[in-house]
């Protein structure tokens, strides 16, 4: 199934039914009179967050939704039936935005949460409402009011505990496969991961949901490569796992480049990704000679010290399963610190 985290749709609530202009005409009743009923109310359109769904694929091929119209009123003061409410299921974590994306209508970040995006029109009055001492037989009845109509943007932000960020080929997908049951695509070329991948990691009877985001490159905040739109999925995470390819010559440059893109994303979208707790992971430890690894680690640690970053980088090999248990333990300990704050 294709991953889709964004959709533009048009919704139209049901129009109200028309009121009836009817009169009593019954045998043996000397005086008749108006008895037109009201029109029924149009159906609303409601979005509901549902679990176990993590894509907006249902809105890829259908983009127009219309709720049921209210029935017209009838004689004998019978009110028309109201239109059925149209409930549109969306994944938990869906944000509903205006067409120009300047207004956030709702953030459905809890299972079962609902948002009424369009209200159905009121039904029109029947002529019984217009009877008066001076107008005993009114022929006037109101038409129903139109339902709300608008174009909206659905933006999915996956709900996960930990977001994996880094350059393409840093080993994020391999690490996800090493610590969870997820089986993402893994290959030795850039942008293997084209869509966010979810996995569940278990540690001492605790569950942690990880999301592997497509690799960032310099200029991603300006749309270079795959751009930075997938960073929206990291907004809800509690922690960032920053993966660096240990075979790269300059770890500091790699780290600074990704942090720069995260800070640019914060500035553009008003997020706070750069403020989240971060664990730095240096991957592919077994691909270098020990002396080369030590030399690069020494330079990188000196940079972190100058920046007053107290996080100690964790050396691992996701492919060789080296340091994985230590990393899982560190993640668990950091989560305990977050929960206490």
């Amino acid at each position: 199934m294709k991953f889709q985290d964004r959709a533009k749709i048009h919704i139209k609530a049901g129009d109200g039914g028309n009121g009836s202009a009817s009169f009593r005409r019954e045998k043996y009743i000397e005086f008749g009179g108006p008895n037109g009923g009201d029109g029924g109310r149009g159906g609303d359109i409601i979005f509901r967050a549902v679990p176990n769904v993590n894509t907006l694929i249902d809105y890829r091929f259908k983009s127009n939704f219309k709720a049921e119209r209210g029935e017209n009123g009838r004689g004998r003061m019978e009110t028309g039936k109201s239109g059925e409410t149209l409930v549109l299921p969306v994944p938990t974590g869906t944000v509903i935005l205006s067409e120009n994306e300047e207004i956030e209508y709702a953030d459905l970040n809890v299972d079962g949460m609902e948002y009424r995006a369009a209200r159905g029109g009121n039904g029109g009055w029947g002529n019984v409402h217009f009877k008066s001492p001076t107008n005993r037989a009114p022929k006037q009845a109101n038409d129903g009011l139109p339902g709300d109509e608008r174009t909206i943007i659905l933006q999915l932000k996956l709900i996960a505990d930990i977001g994996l960020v880094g350059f393409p080929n840093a080993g994020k997908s391999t690490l996800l496969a090493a610590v969870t049951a997820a089986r993402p695509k893994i290959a030795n070329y850039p942008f293997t991961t084209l869509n966010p991948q979810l996995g569940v990691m278990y540690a001492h009877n605790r569950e942690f949901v990880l999301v592997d985001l497509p690799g960032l490159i310099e200029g991603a905040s300006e749309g270079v490569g795959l751009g930075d739109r997938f960073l929206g999925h990291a907004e809800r995470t509690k922690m960032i796992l920053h993966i660096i390819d240990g075979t790269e010559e300059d770890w500091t440059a790699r780290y600074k480049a990704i942090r720069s893109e995260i800070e640019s994303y914060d500035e553009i979208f008003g997020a706070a990704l750069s403020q989240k707790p971060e664990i730095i992971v240096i991957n592919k430890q077994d691909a270098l000679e020990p002396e080369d690894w030590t030399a690069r680690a020494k330079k990188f640690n000196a940079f972190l010290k100058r920046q007053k970053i107290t996080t100690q980088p964790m050396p691992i090999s996701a492919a060789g399963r080296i340091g994985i248990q230590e990393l899982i333990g560190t993640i668990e300990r950091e989560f305990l610190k977050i929960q206490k704050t």
Side-chain angles (χ1 to χ4, degrees), residues 30 52 62 94 122 138-139 144 147 153 155 169 224 231 248 254 257 296 303 306 308 312 336:
E30 184 177 359
N52 304 321
K62 183 178 180 181
T94 299
N122 290 328
K139 296 180 180 179
I153 303 293
Q155 177 68 54
N169 273 7
V224 179
L231 279 176
E248 294 290 340
R254 289 293 192 174
R296 297 179 189 185
F303 159 76
R306 289 194 302 272
K308 298 181 180 180
Q312 189 68 25
L336 288 175

Side-chain angles (χ1 to χ4, degrees), residues 245-276:
D245 184 350
T247 63
E248 294 290 340
E249 187 69 30
D250 192 344
W251 298 353
T252 300
R254 289 293 192 174
Y255 177 81
K256 290 169 66 176
I258 294 298
R259 291 298 300 183
S260 176
E261 295 306 322
I262 290 175
E263 290 165 5
S264 295
Y265 179 89
D266 285 353
E267 183 177 348
I268 294 170
F269 296 99
L273 283 179
S274 59
Q275 306 303 316
K276 293 183 180 294

Side-chain angles (χ1 to χ4, degrees), residues 266-337:
D266 285 353
E267 183 177 348
I268 294 170
F269 296 99
L273 283 179
S274 59
Q275 306 303 316
K276 293 183 180 294
E278 177 188 59
I279 296 177
I280 303 172
V281 178
I282 313 298
N283 192 22
K284 306 181 184 180
Q285 182 184 18
D286 54 351
L288 283 181
E289 294 297 329
E291 55 271 20
D292 293 333
W293 184 276
T294 301
R296 297 179 189 185
K298 185 177 180 180
K299 290 174 60 178
F300 186 54
N301 288 333
F303 159 76
L304 295 178
K305 187 176 181 179
R306 289 194 302 272
Q307 298 298 313
K308 298 181 180 180
I309 299 174
T310 58
T311 302
Q312 189 68 25
M314 297 205 63
I316 69 163
S317 170
R321 300 299 196 271
I322 300 171
I324 297 301
Q325 292 305 315
E326 291 80 358
L327 176 60
I328 293 174
T330 299
I331 292 173
E332 188 177 20
R333 287 192 299 273
E334 290 301 317
F335 255 87
L336 288 175
K337 293 179 183 178

Side-chain angles (χ1 to χ4, degrees), residues 194-242:
L194 300 179
N195 300 302
Q197 303 286 332
L198 288 173
V200 179
M201 181 184 78
Y202 297 93
H204 298 94
N205 299 319
R206 292 172 56 89
E207 291 185 359
F208 300 94
V209 180
L210 280 68
V211 57
D212 169 24
L213 304 175
L216 296 175
I217 61 176
E218 291 187 69
S221 59
E222 300 174 359
V224 179
L226 296 179
D228 65 357
R229 72 185 184 92
F230 292 112
L231 279 176
H233 296 294
E235 282 189 43
R236 301 187 191 276
T237 61
K238 300 179 180 66
M239 178 189 300
I240 298 295
L241 218 59
H242 189 153

